[in-house]
Amino acid sequence: MNFQITNILLLIGALGVVAACTHKSSERPIVMVSIAPQQYLLEQIAGDKIDVRSFLPSDANPETFDPTIAAMRDLSRAKAYIRIGHLPFEETILDRIVESYPELVVYDASQGVKALHGTHGPCSDLHGHATDVDPHLWSSVKNAKVMVANMQQALAKIDPANAHHYATRAELLQHRLERMDSTYATRLAPHRGEAFLVWHPSLSYLARDYGLEQIALGMENKEPTVGHLRSKIEQARQSGARVIFITPEIDGSRASTLVKDIDITPVTISPLSYQWAEEMDKIVDSLCNPQ
């Protein structure tokens, strides 16, 4: 066990003692989730019955994330954790923490989701097992519907007294997601087969759902070579891609320089934003009506 994880486990033990002394039974139960988009979805189900906290801040990079003291404090007080499934830190740091904190009940929101493989290239988890699952499950409304059903069932187990409340709110949310999916399918139908660029391959599921082609400029866990970038840009040119999606943590000027010879529109997105529905709308709007 490395030094960083050992320190994390010592910290959570100390925080657990403090939480046991200070926690008030009248407080709403805390349920932790992995990322802010998942927090948004779970809060639509929970309403005012559950205090939902995200382990990963919305401005953090899941691949280089180190747990904050605030996140560890929340985790030490949580009644349950609902993981989104397949994020690297869930397979490494989180699993080690859960092993040392047996009172914490863990659920998996990704059960039943049809995962994509190979979009990020092969990588390994903490135990050296090869894995190639695309972790960006939340970039699909279809996936969100499955995850909402899983999270509603989890809440019913965590808080049985309010199971009907969660079922009712989840049903309303499912209707909203059905409308989103139907609207996106109708709007994107004329664009089936079209390509778009991204730096990091974070929209693979959206591309799958609506028959689009995602061309990723970046490479998993390493700096892309000049040859790789030239190949991808040429692919984008030949495919007629009109949009490139970049994220706040990526240097927008660098991306713009790389595609300066292509007639393409840069669009900044925040895949880890709490405003999940707004981000999805923005992506679809950009694909349908590139400026």
Side-chain angles (χ1 to χ4, degrees):
M1 184 180 300
N2 63 39
F3 178 76
Q4 179 184 9
I5 293 179
T6 300
N7 282 344
I8 289 172
L9 298 181
L10 290 173
L11 176 60
I12 193 170
L15 289 172
V17 172
V18 173
C21 297
T22 59
H23 182 67
K24 299 177 181 179
S25 61
S26 60
E27 292 179 348
R28 292 182 299 162
I30 294 174
V31 174
M32 294 288 291
V33 296
S34 292
I35 56 174
Q38 186 188 6
Q39 179 184 7
Y40 167 83
L41 291 170
L42 186 57
E43 286 182 347
Q44 308 311 301
I45 306 168
D48 61 358
K49 303 297 183 183
I50 298 287
D51 185 357
V52 183
R53 309 277 181 91
S54 175
F55 194 63
L56 187 81
S58 60
D59 59 350
N61 184 340
E63 295 175 7
T64 59
F65 170 61
D66 288 328
T68 64
I69 292 177
M72 297 303 298
R73 183 173 58 247
D74 288 342
L75 189 60
S76 72
R77 300 174 58 209
K79 190 168 184 179
Y81 192 110
I82 306 178
R83 54 186 293 160
I84 199 164
H86 306 297
L87 283 173
F89 79 84
E90 292 179 329
E91 307 293 336
T92 55
I93 294 174
L94 182 61
D95 277 357
R96 286 295 183 93
I97 292 173
V98 169
E99 287 176 4
S100 69
Y101 202 62
E103 296 86 357
L104 186 68
V105 182
V106 180
Y107 300 91
D108 190 344
S110 70
Q111 291 184 348
V113 170
K114 294 181 180 178
L116 290 172
H117 297 260
T119 60
H120 285 55
C123 55
S124 299
D125 63 18
L126 183 69
H127 309 291
H129 302 139
T131 176
D132 65 350
V133 175
D134 188 315
H136 302 93
L137 305 177
W138 64 97
S139 70
S140 161
V141 181
K142 297 182 189 300
N143 288 352
K145 290 188 285 186
V146 177
M147 292 189 289
V148 164
N150 289 334
M151 292 193 291
Q152 180 256 313
Q153 292 172 13
L155 287 186
K157 295 176 181 177
I158 295 166
D159 181 22
N162 289 303
H164 179 71
H165 169 84
Y166 303 134
T168 300
R169 291 183 64 90
E171 184 178 7
L172 292 173
L173 178 57
Q174 292 286 17
H175 288 319
R176 285 177 53 201
L177 295 176
E178 287 284 358
R179 289 193 297 271
M180 283 179 68
D181 186 23
S182 177
T183 298
Y184 292 170
T186 299
R187 295 186 65 195
L188 289 170
H191 303 282
R192 289 188 68 87
E194 293 183 2
F196 62 88
L197 270 72
V198 292
W199 188 272
H200 183 76
S202 58
L203 301 177
S204 307
Y205 291 97
L206 182 140
R208 176 201 65 184
D209 289 350
Y210 306 113
L212 306 171
E213 179 185 4
Q214 173 185 253
I215 301 175
L217 293 176
M219 300 176 69
E220 184 69 9
N221 297 324
K222 58 183 178 180
E223 188 73 12
T225 64
V226 173
H228 172 84
L229 290 173
R230 286 177 177 170
S231 172
K232 291 297 183 178
I233 290 171
E234 182 58 29
Q235 181 184 352
R237 180 183 288 109
Q238 293 181 3
S239 68
R242 298 181 297 166
V243 176
I244 176 172
F245 293 107
I246 57 178
T247 56
E249 61 270 18
I250 297 298
D251 185 349
S253 62
R254 182 183 181 195
S256 297
T257 299
L258 288 171
V259 298
K260 63 182 179 181
D261 296 329
I262 307 176
D263 183 17
I264 199 165
T265 302
V267 177
T268 301
I269 60 173
S270 299
L272 289 172
S273 169
Y274 174 82
Q275 303 297 338
W276 173 80
E278 292 182 13
E279 284 295 314
M280 294 294 292
D281 284 347
K282 180 179 182 179
I283 292 166
V284 172
D285 287 344
S286 300
L287 291 168
C288 292
N289 302 295
Q291 300 299 316

